[in-house]
Amino acid sequence: MSMEKPAPPPAPDGCLTAAVRIPVRVVVLVLVVPVRMVWDVLAAGGRFVGRSVLRPLGRGLAVAGAWLGRALFVWPWVALWRYVLGPLLRYGVAMPAVWLYRAVLTPLGQGLAWFFSRLGRGLALGGGWLARALFVWPWVGLWRYVVVPVVRYGVVLPLGLIWRYGIVVPLSWLWRSVAAPALRYGIALPLGLLWRYAVVLPFCWLARRVLLPVGREIGAAFVVGWRVAGFVSRAVGRALALLARTLVGRPAAWFYRGVCTPVGHWVRDSLWAPARKAAVEAGRAVRGTLAAARATVRQARADAWRALVGGTRVPEPREPEVAKARTLGSTRNVPGAVPAPEISPQKRG
């Protein structure tokens, strides 16, 4: 058996609520229907434009911008660093500087650091002891044993007693016994009663009986009007979509299947495929030329370094190269082909 009291039933709506409800809903419905239809049309148009125009255009611009940015700002600087600045800094600056640092500067610096550390430590110990004996200990003794006792017992203690028993204690008694009761029962209590019964209670009655029912009905009217406007706008949109599909969509689909698709296949097979094949062959030729140029530059750089510093030739680390494959039945190396197996296939009996 539950010990909680049942909730009281809701109070019935008054005459003011019933009189306001129907006119407000009619007015709100008339105002909301055009707004909802315009909103649905703008939303559908925005989705169509974003899906059919802006998204493909953005992808194309992003791809073209990325390729152009690499061609203008990345590849030239990479080639300049890899084939000019990198070797120059490595063999002309870095390696001589490393040898100078290891063979000359490091031993000299270690010796100077050891000498100056020992000298500085001795000077610091002697100077610190002398400075404390001349400038610290006399003043510390004067402050601790002369100034502090005189100020504490001759000035601070009498002033503290005068402040506490001459000012703080009388003012506290005056506030607690006279001023606080006079303010509480002479000013605060009458003002509080006046505020409660003249302002708070009338405003609460007005909000509960008038403002709250009117606001609730206006909100409900807006909700109902928005839903009805949505149904009307959805019906109009479906009719317009059916009309557009019949007048535009079906002819466009027939034109795409009957005209654009055959033309696109012909362009792909007759123009795009030969152009792509020619571009691939040109790329292979350029890669072969660049590989030969890199090998020549690497050999010249090694010869120059050997002539500069002497010594035997040390093989320079090279970039890994893709193994060239041979076609079956020939000894020519075809770039880009899959390496042929070294084991011949077994003969079937």
Side-chain angles (χ1 to χ4, degrees), residues 249-320:
R250 292 180 180 176
W254 174 84
F255 179 77
Y256 176 78
R257 289 194 299 268
V259 179
C260 294
T261 301
V263 171
H265 289 174
W266 178 81
V267 170
R268 183 191 61 189
D269 299 335
S270 301
L271 299 178
W272 175 253
R276 183 179 180 183
K277 184 176 181 181
V280 171
E281 294 296 334
R284 290 177 179 174
V286 170
R287 285 197 297 271
T289 304
L290 291 178
R294 282 198 298 269
T296 304
V297 171
R298 190 182 297 112
Q299 182 66 31
R301 187 173 58 193
D303 294 339
W305 177 253
R306 187 168 61 254
L308 181 62
V309 301
T312 60
R313 179 179 179 181
V314 180
E316 185 179 353
R318 303 178 61 185
E319 300 179 355

Side-chain angles (χ1 to χ4, degrees), residues 163-186:
W163 171 261
R164 180 175 181 181
Y165 293 102
I167 298 175
V168 175
V169 173
L171 289 178
S172 299
W173 177 86
L174 182 63
W175 170 260
R176 187 171 55 252
S177 301
V178 179
L183 291 176
R184 179 180 300 174
Y185 298 104

